[in-house]
Amino acid sequence: MTKSALITGVNGQDGAYLAQHLLSLGYRVIGGMRRSSTPNFWRLDELGITRQIEFVPLDVSDASNCTDIVRRYKPTEVYNLAAQSFVEASFHQPYYTLEADGSGPLNLLESIRVASPESRFYQASTSELYGKVQEIPQTESTPFYPRSPYAAAKLYGHWITVNHREAYGMHASSGILFNHESPLRGPEFVTRKITMTLASIAHGHTDCLMLGNINAKRDWGFAGDYVKGMYLMLQQSSPGDFVLATNETHTVREFATIAASHMGIDLIWDGEGLKEIGVDRKTGATVVKIDERFFRPSEVDLLLGNPRKANAAFGWKPSTSFGELVEMMAKADYDRVARGVLQ
Ligand code: NAP
Ligand code: F7E
């Protein structure tokens, strides 16, 4: 029998790659999208899969909407990727973030419990749960210490998933995913902001890239690798919590330096703190400046994950190195600017 998957937030970065992966495996993909005055299909269009998805209007903060959709389709698998996913925005919109990222998973879990108990459930948990890290590297047993309204809301989403697994015997798994990026990453996240702006500078359209805390360290992988891990979690006979990460960490400064090198910019750094600048060695032009506005009220300084549990349970490991990821993103944006189609 054909398997079906409901993906919430199907038009986001991970939703697009996961839909592509499941379609390649022969799944019927039901794509949940919240209503918007102008629906946004650019990622699905770029992957060439828009027409293969059955779209349904689904806002995860609306409990009756979730129950209606789950009851109507009774999907084999439900992947909850919908979220207000930008940490910075969660400081400005904490209530909305709580609704989407905290109530959202509860609404879906309750919908499955009452209307489709055989459906398997994936919750998009996050390395942001570790926040002010209590251990290096972080694993499934590292204590959580959230540092933003986003992380606090996701903490509820994580534990309510564990609760429904233990209280009702549901096949509900939580993927604690470290940062994963791609050419389909949203433009406000630091990696894509860097590759887009440097591409614009390299083509002579912009002068300068403004960044916040360039000392922050992240464990960055490729989103295409991570969605395969989501799928594998739901194929296991027993549900659980699994870290997906590369086990490598790099600063924002390193990301920018390597991205610049793929645009023909030899970036060297000078000064300290808010006065630090990134200079193009060849031209002497200042191409990166620090701007206080991009600092967060509370920061996550360092993330480094160990994915050994996922590797032992289902053989997951990342296939894209940090260098390959930066190059892929830099080249994609350099080409987009050249074609005049920057998203
Ligand atoms: P993304 O690109 O921001 O996609 C999020 C999606 O959720 C978008 O399609 C968005 O729709 C949708 N959405 C927002 N609020 C919604 C609501 N109330 N109801 C229904 N849909 C809603 O994020 P992503 O990078 O693909 O991440 C996917 C999931 O993994 C998120 O839950 C994120 O928090 C989590 N996560 C991401 C990472 C990472 O590094 N990427 C790491 C760990 C966990 P619009 O297009 O209309 O905004
Ligand atoms: O920031 C620093 C910033 O916004 C990374 C989401 O997918 O991954 C993501 O959350 C770091 C932070 O991602 C700028 O302060 C410096 O330390 O790209 P980001 P994030 O906050 O790590 C986790 C795992 C998720 O779950 C989230 O959904 O970069 N930084 N300068 C900057 N960040 C941004 N955005 N813009 C800057 O100018």
Side-chain angles (χ1 to χ4, degrees), residues 31-98:
M33 269 176 80
R34 63 173 168 173
R35 191 203 161 268
S36 119
S37 58
T38 313
N40 188 349
F41 294 108
W42 72 270
R43 296 182 175 94
L44 301 169
D45 287 344
E46 205 159 299
L47 296 180
I49 57 172
T50 311
R51 285 163 181 273
Q52 297 170 61
I53 295 168
E54 285 174 55
F55 293 101
V56 291
L58 178 53
D59 189 317
V60 295
S61 64
D62 188 317
S64 56
N65 189 184
C66 292
T67 308
D68 281 349
I69 298 297
V70 169
R71 180 174 288 127
R72 190 188 316 160
Y73 290 96
K74 295 189 172 44
T76 321
E77 294 160 14
V78 176
Y79 294 87
N80 181 33
L81 308 187
Q84 191 301 94
S85 71
F86 189 33
V87 172
E88 167 70 34
S90 76
F91 288 99
H92 307 293
Q93 297 174 335
Y95 292 97
Y96 174 63
T97 303
L98 176 60

Side-chain angles (χ1 to χ4, degrees), residues 129-340:
L129 298 178
Y130 299 118
K132 189 171 176 182
V133 298
Q134 303 295 296
E135 186 176 56
I136 300 170
Q138 295 89 51
T139 70
E140 293 79 3
S141 56
T142 303
F144 297 136
Y145 194 138
R147 293 269 281 173
S148 64
Y150 167 79
K154 282 279 186 180
L155 187 71
Y156 178 79
H158 178 79
W159 282 117
I160 200 66
T161 302
V162 175
N163 178 74
H164 276 54
R165 177 164 80 220
E166 294 181 353
Y168 308 117
M170 289 171 59
H171 197 297
S173 287
S174 184
I176 306 173
L177 271 52
F178 283 63
N179 297 55
H180 44 280
E181 318 291 314
S182 73
L184 303 185
R185 186 57 142 151
E188 69 272 61
F189 298 95
V190 77
T191 54
R192 185 82 203 291
K193 176 176 169 181
I194 290 170
T195 56
M196 279 174 64
T197 313
L198 288 177
S200 183
I201 292 170
H203 284 284
H205 301 319
T206 309
D207 295 330
C208 198
L209 165 65
M210 311 298 284
L211 292 173
N213 176 16
I214 58 174
N215 294 313
K217 294 178 112 178
R218 288 291 182 276
D219 179 329
W220 278 298
F222 171 51
D225 291 338
Y226 286 55
V227 299
K228 292 178 183 163
M230 296 176 187
Y231 160 75
L232 288 169
M233 280 177 218
L234 295 205
Q235 311 316 306
Q236 305 311 300
S237 51
S238 303
D241 303 328
F242 297 94
V243 162
L244 300 185
T246 68
N247 206 14
E248 255 187 55
T249 191
H250 298 272
T251 60
V252 172
R253 188 190 289 98
E254 281 174 80
F255 189 103
T257 308
I258 299 173
S261 73
H262 293 292
M263 316 265 188
I265 301 170
D266 184 4
L267 202 52
I268 49 169
W269 299 88
D270 191 30
E272 271 180 32
L274 292 175
K275 298 234 170 352
E276 185 166 0
I277 51 173
V279 177
D280 182 342
R281 191 198 298 265
K282 277 181 283 183
T283 64
T286 298
V287 288
V288 186
K289 286 184 185 164
I290 306 302
D291 186 331
E292 250 178 313
R293 286 175 307 158
F294 296 112
F295 284 75
R296 294 173 183 177
S298 45
E299 176 63 289
V300 172
D301 295 318
L302 174 143
L303 290 172
L304 174 63
N306 187 335
R308 70 171 171 247
K309 183 180 171 192
N311 182 257
F314 43 85
W316 183 85
K317 57 177 189 218
S319 70
T320 311
S321 70
F322 175 69
E324 288 165 345
L325 172 70
V326 183
E327 182 175 0
M328 179 199 315
M329 293 180 69
K331 288 195 166 156
D333 276 335
Y334 189 86
D335 290 349
R336 281 175 174 141
V337 176
R339 284 183 281 122

